Amino acid sequence: MTALDLSSPVAVVGTGTMGQGIAQVALVAGHPVRLYDAVDGRAREAADAIGARLDRLVEKDRLTGAERDAARARLTSAESLDALADCALVVEAVVERLDVKQELFRALEDVVGDDCLLATNTSSLSVTAVGGALRVPGRFVGLHFFNPAPLLPLVEVVSGFATDPASATRAYETARAWGKTPVTCADTPGFVVNRVARPFYAEALAVHELRAADPATIDAVLRESGGFRMGAFELTDLIGQDVNESVTHSVWQAFFQDVRFAPSLAQRRLVESGRLGRKSGQGWYDYRDGAERPGPHTAPPAEAPAYVVVEGDLGPAAELVGLIREAGVEVCPEDGYGAGRIVLPDGGTLCLTDGELPGSEDLVHFDLALDYRAATRIALSASESVRPGLLSGATGLFQALGKEVSVVGDVPGMIVARTVARIIDLAFDAVARGVATPEDVDTAMRLGVNYPLGPFEWNRRLGDTWARDLLSHIHEWEPSGRCAPSLALHRHAAADAREGTPS
């Protein structure tokens, strides 16, 4: 099954921001495109808006004048659904209400031919449910574009329970012919991206609700240590707190209120107060004229130790040994077993967080980093009883490496580590349940939400038991089940352990 021929008309129903974006993608790819909207005049306005964007593409040398003129000639607005009768593909981008979408597709089925591919751009509803009332449900698929559709490359091609494999293949190949990067997935709540991405928001909110760090500090640690393009609080302000919470609530409900996807009371209160983010002028941050953006908590300068003793293997933080030497701090290696640690001259210990609480006056945890050399900020965590000199020495050590230091509360797994571990866990669970392949999950998370690594790439880097062990420790301290490792992650870690056992 191949992509739709470029001579085949494509229709887009619903002419809001997403509908216009999808129409522009199909139009620039070379299809005749027809726009329809139930509100009189909206389709014509959308056609004018798309024409203006084509003009800007010419100004930026992304289209020639001739290509723009040809595209405009292929774009028409439809006054009724009957005008879509000869279309080979109709993509719906109307309001996220199941009854509205079902009614629309029943009406479309009375108009288009039985070989017309019907697609929904829903991000939160069941594709199976939307297409469930159709006479020919096998030609119905999900084509989930990401906003803005002309710029973001990812498209999730979602097969409902009744979707014909040939229809999914045609949709996949068509999206690829349009210059997109499609991934295939089963019809489960959140598909790939909105399912696997929930912990990025949830763990930041959990750390904040535990009063371990403020939003600005959590965001800075996620960006400057975790390598994420934006922190969770600034990203939800950009998305819209109401939109982000609605998706979270929808996924949670669709999974029968599975605690792993539970919404946040703190975010609920923000939405109830009308602080929806950038669009309302206030969210976690204040965007009103003259408002100052709060900075992250950053520790004052401290003296670096003259030397450290490194015992055992630091695992994901092994790169720190070379960085410490480069900073002029003497490193005295010692043999050791188990998890590695850095011992300061006063006998205090620094360890990469393992999901346990520090719980000792002689121990400081540091957070995971995507790349310890490139990281510009490191988070430290200690119990309230920690010796002041130890925390100061740990701070000075990382400052000697050129890092800003944020001291956060003693929350299990800290910030980056618990976030990455939960993302890995949900990715393994999704693959085990047949939602998508590991390769498609990694592609979706890198392209759909700009993660620095896909979950399986993270797992290969950190080790096959790292996420399981860290989440198991967090679960001991927070036994709600939210952070309990999935059966899929346990199986994967156990398989790795068996492969590493001498025969």
Side-chain angles (χ1 to χ4, degrees), residues 120-378:
T120 175
N121 183 59
T122 184
S123 61
S124 60
L125 298 176
S126 163
V127 170
T128 301
V130 175
L134 293 180
R135 186 180 69 256
V136 187
R139 43 89 171 267
F140 187 76
V141 299
L143 275 178
H144 181 215
F145 289 77
F146 288 74
N147 193 29
L151 297 181
L152 294 186
L154 183 69
V155 177
E156 292 177 317
V157 180
V158 187
S159 291
F161 187 79
T163 300
D164 190 318
S167 298
T169 300
R170 171 152 283 188
Y172 179 95
E173 294 298 337
T174 298
R176 189 164 67 170
W178 291 357
K180 296 301 181 183
T181 303
V183 297
T184 59
C185 59
D187 180 26
T188 59
F191 310 141
V192 176
V193 172
N194 280 328
R195 174 180 181 146
V196 178
R198 294 345 296 162
F200 181 72
Y201 314 109
E203 296 316 306
L205 287 160
V207 171
H208 172 60
E209 289 178 327
L210 289 168
R211 308 185 79 80
D214 60 275
T217 299
I218 295 168
D219 279 353
V221 172
L222 286 169
R223 288 194 315 269
E224 299 171 37
S225 184
F228 293 95
R229 185 166 299 184
M230 298 181 74
F233 295 96
E234 57 190 342
L235 181 55
T236 52
D237 269 357
L238 178 64
I239 294 168
Q241 296 300 332
D242 53 338
V243 173
N244 182 259
E245 194 216 23
S246 176
V247 173
T248 298
H249 197 271
S250 174
V251 172
W252 175 63
Q253 290 283 22
F255 276 115
F256 306 104
Q257 300 185 356
D258 186 329
V259 68
R260 295 176 302 164
F261 301 97
S264 159
L265 181 59
Q267 188 176 40
R268 177 91 288 265
R269 293 293 179 258
L270 202 68
V271 173
E272 289 174 338
S273 71
R275 298 189 177 193
L276 306 182
R278 288 180 179 271
K279 63 185 177 183
S280 69
Q282 286 181 285
W284 293 111
Y285 301 105
D286 192 337
Y287 301 94
R288 295 172 297 181
D289 291 343
E292 290 188 13
R293 176 76 172 260
H297 167 77
T298 301
E303 185 177 351
Y307 70 92
V308 298
V309 177
V310 176
E311 298 180 354
D313 182 1
L314 296 180
E319 189 177 23
L320 285 175
V321 177
L323 295 178
I324 293 170
R325 286 197 176 101
E326 292 172 20
V329 178
E330 183 181 358
V331 176
C332 305
E334 284 193 6
D335 292 334
Y337 299 96
R341 61 180 188 160
I342 300 170
V343 183
L344 300 183
D346 66 357
T349 300
L350 279 173
C351 291
L352 174 63
T353 181
D354 59 358
E356 296 276 13
L357 287 177
S360 165
E361 65 176 15
D362 294 319
L363 177 62
V364 173
H365 279 161
F366 60 89
D367 206 351
L368 180 68
L370 171 69
D371 180 338
Y372 282 99
R373 180 175 294 277
T376 58
R377 182 176 299 272
I378 294 293

Side-chain angles (χ1 to χ4, degrees), residues 11-16 33-40 42-44 46 76-84 90-91 93-94 104 108:
V12 177
V13 179
T15 57
V33 173
R34 294 174 193 161
L35 297 170
Y36 175 78
D37 198 290
V39 178
D40 188 45
R42 287 271 180 86
R44 292 189 298 274
T76 57
S77 57
E79 299 300 322
S80 69
L81 289 180
D82 291 339
L84 313 183
V90 180
V91 183
V94 302
L104 169 63
L108 281 168

